[in-house]
């Protein structure tokens, strides 16, 4: 869920995907598409809770999380410059992720203390606040492993992958394959060794493989760009076909049903070369604000649904959902401008922002 930018002269000069200011525009569009899919999923699931709907028509939107993990693996491999060292990597990742997450986590904590009825299963204590702010997974009374800002569970995975990547850099392992090997080993051990420990179960989850898949797509993109040129529609069609097929097959392993379609879809957007237009500019901006959209949207959806009548008809639910989506997007754009951009400019000195020849900052 980081900004898609080119990291090396070779990658930046590839004839795949039109770029502006170093951004792979297709990935910016994908960031927004994935975030908005998750928004739709939570509209549907939230309305099941609030209005008693039997079916979530946007259940497919949960796949947006798989896309985000694959996308993160790709972008981290693409943008990391080992020559700048571990501290540069860590500082850039922390500045990108932490400020907005902390602001929203503290906001949820205040709501939980003053108006706990607005939060379904969130209990605010010093321990839960401390663990949430430091990205330490913990189990809630309902069994879910989620921080106060509940979608932060995905950031716990993100930060753990960053830690693996940073450790490899610190040890002098500069190849993106090094963190991939660590992830695969960890997941394999998780299937073999069974410990009654929340952290072990969480961090050895097969979901970590999606980061490795993203790194793999980057390596293919970097070394064989001709595999991607002109094949965006082909990859997209294959991704859709696999997604639909595996949903109807019984007992399909998650790696095929979730991770594989997300990885193929990711490849299609790497190859995507959109023409410049006002519509594309808007999608790129929405892609920039996708991190804010991803984190803030559940609370806007929940607030609007709680003030609506419990017997709201389906047509009015559609109207309410549309209003919620529009408000989520508007709020994300404001947070992007007021929190994300300002915190990055304040916390990253100009010396760090200055890019050597061929570099683009993520």
């Amino acid at each position: 869920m980081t900004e898609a930018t080119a990291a090396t002269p070779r990658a930046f000069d590839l004839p795949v995907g039109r770029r502006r200011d170093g951004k792979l525009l297709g990935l910016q569009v994908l960031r927004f598409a994935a975030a908005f899919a998750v928004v739709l999923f939570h509209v549907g699931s939230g309305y099941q809770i609030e209005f008693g709907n039997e079916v979530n028509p946007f259940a497919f939107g949960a796949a947006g999380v798989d896309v985000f993990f694959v996308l993160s693996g790709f972008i981290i491999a693409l943008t990391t410059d080992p020559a700048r060292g571990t501290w540069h990597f860590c500082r850039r990742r922390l500045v990108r992720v932490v400020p907005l997450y902390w602001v929203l986590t503290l906001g949820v904590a205040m709501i939980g203390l003053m108006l706990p009825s607005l939060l379904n299963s969130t209990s605010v204590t010093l321990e839960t606040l401390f663990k949430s702010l430091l990205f330490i997974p913990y189990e809630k009374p309902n069994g879910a492993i989620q921080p106060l800002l509940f979608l932060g569970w995905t950031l716990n995975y993100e930060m753990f992958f960053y830690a693996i990547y940073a450790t490899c850099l610190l040890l002098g392992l500069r190849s993106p394959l090094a963190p991939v090997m660590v992830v695969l080993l960890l997941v394999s051990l998780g299937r073999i060794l069974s410990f009654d420990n929340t952290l072990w179960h969480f961090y050895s989850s097969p979901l970590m493989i999606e980061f490795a898949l993203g790194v793999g797509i980057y390596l293919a993109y970097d070394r064989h760009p001709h595999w991607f040129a002109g094949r965006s529609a082909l990859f997209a069609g294959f991704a859709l076909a696999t997604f639909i097929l595996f949903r109807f097959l019984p007992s399909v392993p998650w790696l095929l049903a979730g991770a594989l379609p997300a990885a193929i879809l990711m490849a299609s957007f790497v190859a995507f070369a959109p023409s410049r237009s006002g519509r594309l500019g808007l999608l790129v901006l929405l892609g920039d604000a996708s991190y804010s959209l991803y984190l803030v949207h559940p609370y806007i959806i929940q607030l609007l649904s709680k003030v609506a009548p419990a017997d709201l008809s389906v047509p009015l639910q559609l109207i309410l959902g549309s209003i919620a989506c529009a408000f989520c997007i508007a709020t994300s754009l404001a947070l992007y401008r007021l929190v994300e951009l300002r915190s990055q400019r304040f916390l990253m000195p100009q010396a760090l922002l200055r890019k050597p020849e061929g570099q683009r900052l993520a």
Side-chain angles (χ1 to χ4, degrees):
M1 285 174 283
T2 52
E3 189 171 341
T5 57
T8 64
R10 179 182 177 187
F12 185 70
D13 292 336
L14 288 175
V16 180
R18 301 177 188 271
R19 300 166 180 80
R20 185 182 67 191
D21 299 330
K23 293 177 182 177
L24 288 170
L25 300 186
L27 298 190
Q28 291 298 98
V29 175
L30 179 60
R31 290 177 68 202
F32 171 67
F36 192 68
V38 178
V39 172
L40 291 177
F41 172 80
H42 284 126
V43 168
S45 62
Y47 287 7
Q48 283 182 292
I49 296 172
E50 298 297 334
F51 305 124
N53 298 343
E54 294 184 2
V55 178
N56 179 356
F58 306 116
F60 64 86
V65 173
D66 298 308
V67 174
F68 271 133
F69 285 161
V70 177
L71 184 59
S72 288
F74 180 94
I75 293 174
I76 293 304
L78 178 71
T79 61
T80 298
D81 180 9
R84 287 192 166 188
T86 307
W87 170 237
H88 177 265
F89 172 85
C90 292
R91 185 170 190 175
R92 196 166 64 174
R93 293 302 102 211
L94 291 174
V95 169
R96 181 69 181 88
V97 172
V98 170
L100 179 65
Y101 175 72
W102 277 9
V103 167
L104 295 180
T105 294
L106 293 173
V108 169
M110 292 178 62
I111 293 173
L113 292 173
M114 295 186 296
L115 298 169
S117 61
L118 293 180
L119 304 178
N120 292 328
S121 60
T122 300
S123 176
V124 181
T125 66
L126 284 177
E127 180 184 3
T128 59
L129 179 60
F130 175 81
K131 289 183 175 180
S132 295
L133 292 175
L134 295 185
F135 303 96
I136 300 173
Y138 66 90
E139 188 173 350
K140 290 182 175 180
N142 64 359
I145 302 177
Q146 297 171 341
L148 295 180
L149 191 73
F150 83 92
L151 276 178
W153 69 267
T154 60
L155 295 184
N156 289 344
Y157 282 117
E158 289 268 355
M159 297 300 283
F160 185 59
F161 180 67
Y162 296 165
I164 293 174
Y165 215 104
T167 302
C168 290
L169 292 176
L170 186 63
L171 295 175
L173 304 174
R174 294 189 168 195
S175 171
L177 284 175
V180 167
M181 293 299 102
V182 174
V183 166
L184 295 180
L185 176 61
L186 180 63
V187 174
S188 298
L189 289 175
R191 309 283 70 77
I192 298 171
L193 304 176
S194 179
F195 299 118
D196 187 17
N197 181 277
T198 297
L199 294 180
W200 175 253
H201 285 296
F202 188 83
Y203 287 135
S204 63
S205 167
L207 282 172
M208 293 293 298
I209 294 177
E210 291 180 331
F211 295 103
L213 288 173
V215 174
I217 294 172
Y218 160 74
L219 292 173
Y221 168 77
D222 183 58
R223 299 171 185 180
H224 305 283
H226 58 280
W227 291 357
F228 295 85
R231 292 187 169 92
S232 179
L234 177 64
F235 283 131
F238 191 31
L240 180 61
T242 55
F243 180 83
I244 295 174
L245 175 63
F246 292 139
R247 287 302 183 276
F248 287 99
L249 293 178
S251 304
V252 175
W254 161 86
L255 190 60
L256 293 178
L260 181 60
I264 300 172
L265 183 64
M266 164 80 200
S268 75
F269 277 85
V270 171
F272 182 44
S275 301
R276 294 188 181 185
S277 66
R279 184 179 301 174
L280 175 63
L282 175 60
L283 288 174
V284 170
L285 174 61
L286 293 174
D288 289 336
S290 61
Y291 180 49
S292 292
L293 176 62
Y294 179 77
L295 289 184
V296 77
H297 77 267
Y299 303 97
I300 295 174
I301 294 169
Q302 188 171 328
L303 175 63
L304 293 180
S305 64
K306 284 186 178 296
V307 299
D311 58 348
L312 198 66
S313 65
V314 172
L316 290 180
Q317 287 181 34
L318 293 174
I319 294 174
L320 180 64
S322 299
I323 294 172
C325 289
F327 197 65
C328 288
I329 291 174
T331 303
S332 70
L333 290 171
L335 287 173
Y336 172 67
R337 297 287 189 185
L338 298 176
V339 180
E340 289 194 71
L341 285 182
R342 291 189 179 186
S343 62
Q344 290 175 39
R345 290 167 182 165
F346 177 74
L347 295 172
M348 298 286 280
Q350 286 303 115
L352 197 60
L353 290 171
R354 194 177 299 121
K355 302 173 283 292
E357 184 178 356
Q359 286 274 20
R360 299 296 184 271
L361 180 67

